[in-house]
Amino acid sequence: MTSGVEVMRSEREHIPVTEPLEADLVVLGSGAGGLTAALSASLAGLDVLVLEHQPVIGGTSARSSGTVWVPDNHLMRAEGIEGDRERAETYLSGLVGERGERSMWQAFLDAAPKMLADLEAHADLRFKPYMTAPDYRQDVTGAASGGRPLEPLAFDGRDLGADFDRLAWPLPELMLFGGLMITRVEAFKLLRADRDPAAMWLGLRLVTRFLAERFTYKRGTRLVLGNALVGRLLKALQDRQVTVLTGAETTRLVRDGDRVVGVEMIHNGKPVRISSRRGVVLAGGGFPASAEKRAENLPEPVARYTPAAPGCVGKTLDLAFAAGAVLGPKGLDNAQWFPSSLMTRPDGSTGVYPHIVLDRSKPGLIAVDATGNRFTNEAVSYHEFVRAMYARGGNGAAVPAWLVVDRGFISKYGLGLIRPRTPRLRKYVENGYLKQGATIVELAGAIGVPADALEATVKRYNCYAKNGRDPEFFKGEAIYDRGNGDARVKPNPCIGPISKAPFYAVAVWPTPLGTSRGLVANENAQVLDGGGKPIPGLYVCGNDMQSAFGGEYPGAGAQLGQAMTFGWIAARHAAAVDTAASITRENA
């Protein structure tokens, strides 16, 4: 892989390098898209080097659910679902419309199942389909009831050796006991541990392993969600002797004429030039962690916080601009959203907790704006929920929004950072995370909304709970809503009364998990210049690329599905592996 210098793949955080270096392909960024590009290029016979400017590997992917959205995948076909390609095309056509390039999302549909099959067959990536995870927009023809989202199987972090310490941690607020990871399904099971022997046994196994591992490791080594996905990709790269260099800050794309032929970086305080025979793949994760770029691109009031990895500040975009690349057109909001609650951690940093599916869809919760009124169906996807927050008005009427519940709700389902069955809520009230009122009127005063309006809103909602119908926002009528509700509650698993004092509320704010405005590219994942021509040797995937879905969020794992697919496409195009025949539609 090198010319005149030896670079051994190491399990240490810092790998010594001496200039000059050579590779076939250099990948900037170590999230799922970048690692997929590197792995796919290696599988195609290229020498690859991954550069990550942060000290850890995984980016926002390591913090995510790890779900990958792949329509018409072979796993759903094995479950008996056929003909999904045509339905998925109908779905994306209706969802994206004129907001995105049709050729881009068609290229995704063509390549995504092939990417999945390729990595499963040749790199030991393992997934199982979420057969009961519906697409987010059930109002659009072609939406699936399940099967397109894929969950990575659990992975043993010990298989990474010392590189386990270089794997980025999940958000601490999403782990138990400071280091134990569990899946959403496991979380639901553990809530029944006091009455279900199988759930109790699951809890005992997980906790026993975790406690035993804490004698040797800083956290549990049983990895699930995004950590499992990144862990498997990293292990596959280890097996192929592909170097992932951390603490490597790329400062410039090197060009020969118009062609990108390498990069310059700083590592361990020393400048290094790397020649890249086949090109460079940009996979830096977009700009959700850049306050400046958020202010330039996101709607007002501009999000102040993000659950994304801190390194996703758009540095790779800036490198591309210097090489002639351009951003795509502004979309509706240019972000992929989570509504998140905020709390100051013991070390003074801000904890950002995404309210994904564990509370908003459950019966006995409403979301209100500054007027004390509901403004949306609380059970819609996290992306659409934040869009509704902004749609309420440019004056920030629903920024923040307040999730209102009673004490019984928190005991049963939890609320944000508060786990179910938490016996005392005093510390959450005292630190300001939770607002409390002995009556709805008192709660209204605590959150600063009109008391009469909030009282009327709760009274009206409690009437809906009697017959399970929400004539205002139709909560619980879509299968997506019901899938995240409480099946034990009839007739509507998403609607229940808010009636037993004391009452509580937590503020949620718009927070971008990722950004959807990025570099303009073509179906081969080649970055285009201002004239629409490919910049030779420059590729892009993930949130660095203009969203193939026009900023829409089709279903769980849509960001990772798109990132990994175009990472795979970029690698195969760089390696000239069957790209034109199997991926592009330019001759269709």
Side-chain angles (χ1 to χ4, degrees):
M1 182 176 116
T2 65
S3 174
V5 63
E6 183 180 8
V7 179
M8 298 297 293
R9 195 210 62 76
S10 168
E11 292 175 339
R12 292 174 291 150
E13 178 175 334
H14 295 293
I15 304 172
V17 294
T18 305
E19 68 171 333
L21 303 181
E22 289 184 359
D24 289 327
L25 191 69
V26 174
V27 178
L28 305 185
S30 66
L35 296 184
T36 297
L39 177 58
S40 302
S42 179
L43 290 171
L46 300 187
D47 291 329
V48 188
L49 176 62
V50 180
L51 304 182
E52 169 58 59
H53 71 111
Q54 292 289 294
V56 291
I57 297 167
T60 301
S61 299
R63 297 175 167 220
S64 73
S65 70
T67 307
V68 182
W69 193 71
V70 180
D72 194 32
N73 64 76
H74 65 278
L75 298 174
M76 64 189 300
R77 290 197 295 271
E79 295 287 337
I81 299 178
E82 300 288 346
D84 190 57
R85 166 57 198 257
E86 182 178 351
R87 291 189 294 271
E89 187 162 341
T90 299
Y91 179 54
L92 288 181
S93 179
L95 180 64
V96 176
E98 299 299 318
R99 288 179 290 279
E101 292 289 339
R102 184 179 186 89
S103 61
M104 292 299 288
W105 58 256
Q106 285 183 325
F108 165 80
L109 290 178
D110 287 342
K114 300 173 186 177
M115 175 274 297
L116 175 70
D118 186 29
L119 297 187
E120 280 205 342
H122 299 111
D124 198 37
L125 261 68
R126 292 289 179 263
F127 299 90
K128 65 178 179 181
Y130 275 121
M131 299 308 299
T132 57
D135 288 338
Y136 289 166
R137 291 292 302 275
Q138 290 293 312
D139 57 315
V140 178
T141 302
S145 60
R148 292 171 182 168
L150 307 173
E151 176 188 17
L153 299 187
F155 176 73
D156 193 334
R158 293 172 294 189
D159 291 345
L160 295 174
D163 269 353
F164 179 53
D165 287 336
R166 292 206 298 157
L167 180 62
W169 284 42
L171 290 172
E173 288 77 19
L174 298 180
M175 294 187 291
L176 300 177
F177 312 122
L180 171 61
M181 297 189 70
I182 61 172
T183 67
R184 171 186 163 194
V185 171
E186 290 166 348
F188 287 145
K189 287 181 179 179
L190 292 176
L191 290 177
R192 304 194 301 271
D194 60 339
R195 57 187 182 276
D196 182 344
M200 180 182 296
W201 178 237
L202 170 65
L204 285 173
R205 291 202 321 271
L206 293 176
V207 172
T208 299
R209 172 176 170 171
F210 170 70
L211 293 176
E213 290 175 340
R214 288 304 299 270
F215 288 104
T216 307
Y217 300 95
K218 296 178 181 179
R219 61 178 174 122
T221 63
R222 178 184 177 268
L223 307 182
V224 295
L225 309 175
N227 248 226
L229 175 61
V230 173
R232 285 185 180 275
L233 287 165
L234 183 56
K235 181 62 170 65
L237 290 172
Q238 280 186 353
D239 292 343
R240 300 191 64 81
Q241 297 295 299
V242 174
T243 297
V244 180
L245 195 62
T246 50
E249 182 173 355
T250 303
T251 56
R252 189 170 77 91
L253 297 176
V254 179
R255 289 185 288 168
D256 182 0
D258 292 334
R259 184 174 186 83
V260 174
V261 295
V263 302
E264 291 179 354
M265 71 165 182
I266 296 175
H267 186 261
N268 288 341
K270 297 179 180 180
V272 181
R273 174 175 286 203
I274 304 171
S275 296
S276 180
R277 291 178 285 269
R278 299 295 183 95
V280 174
V281 180
L282 304 175
F287 57 87
S290 168
E292 180 182 357
K293 286 182 169 60
R294 289 199 304 263
E296 293 172 354
N297 293 279
L298 304 191
E300 294 184 348
V302 178
R304 294 181 57 196
Y305 300 98
T306 176
C312 298
V313 293
K315 287 186 177 181
T316 38
L317 301 181
D318 294 335
L319 295 172
F321 297 152
V326 294
L327 282 179
K330 282 192 173 183
L332 179 62
D333 39 27
N334 301 322
Q336 307 294 345
W337 295 110
F338 280 168
S340 298
S341 52
L342 309 173
M343 188 171 73
T344 302
R345 297 176 178 136
D347 64 1
S349 62
T350 299
V352 181
Y353 182 89
H355 291 250
I356 303 174
V357 297
L358 295 179
D359 50 24
R360 288 185 299 106
S361 303
K362 300 299 187 290
L365 177 148
I366 59 172
V368 301
D369 61 13
T371 71
N373 290 290
R374 294 174 68 212
F375 59 92
T376 190
N377 168 5
E378 294 85 358
V380 293
S381 77
Y382 34 86
H383 184 64
E384 297 299 333
F385 184 91
V386 173
R387 282 186 163 180
M389 293 172 69
Y390 278 115
R392 192 61 163 173
N395 61 354
V399 179
W402 294 94
L403 306 184
V404 176
V405 300
D406 62 18
R407 183 63 178 92
F409 181 97
I410 297 178
S411 297
K412 185 178 294 186
Y413 306 115
L415 182 64
L417 287 166
I418 307 169
R419 310 290 187 193
R421 302 180 185 175
T422 298
R424 296 180 181 84
L425 304 180
R426 182 174 178 178
K427 76 171 184 177
Y428 297 100
V429 175
E430 290 179 347
N431 66 22
Y433 179 76
L434 196 63
K435 302 298 183 182
Q436 176 180 311
T439 64
I440 293 296
V441 170
E442 188 175 313
L443 180 65
I447 64 177
V449 305
D452 55 346
L454 184 61
E455 215 175 16
T457 296
V458 172
K459 182 178 180 180
R460 191 162 56 248
Y461 187 76
N462 287 343
C463 289
Y464 302 160
K466 292 179 180 178
N467 60 17
R469 295 291 304 277
D470 175 13
E472 289 185 273
F473 298 104
F474 315 106
K475 183 179 182 181
E477 294 191 11
I479 61 170
Y480 175 78
D481 299 5
R482 295 195 297 273
N484 296 320
D486 185 342
R488 298 168 297 180
V489 175
K490 308 293 183 182
N492 189 326
C494 300
I495 298 181
I498 304 171
S499 56
K500 296 181 180 179
F503 303 98
Y504 296 92
V506 66
V508 292
W509 302 80
T511 59
L513 176 68
T515 45
S516 54
R517 190 183 189 198
L519 302 175
V520 178
N522 64 13
E523 299 93 328
N524 296 317
Q526 294 173 287
V527 177
L528 305 183
D529 62 19
K533 295 182 179 179
I535 300 174
L538 190 58
Y539 298 90
V540 66
C541 64
N543 287 340
D544 279 357
M545 187 181 78
Q546 180 77 358
S547 169
F549 305 140
E552 298 301 314
Y553 211 138
Q559 287 193 81
L560 290 183
Q562 184 178 175
M564 294 176 67
T565 297
F566 281 97
W568 185 81
I569 288 173
R572 291 173 67 85
H573 188 272
V577 178
D578 197 26
T579 302
S582 64
I583 298 173
T584 65
R585 302 175 63 89
E586 58 194 18
N587 297 321

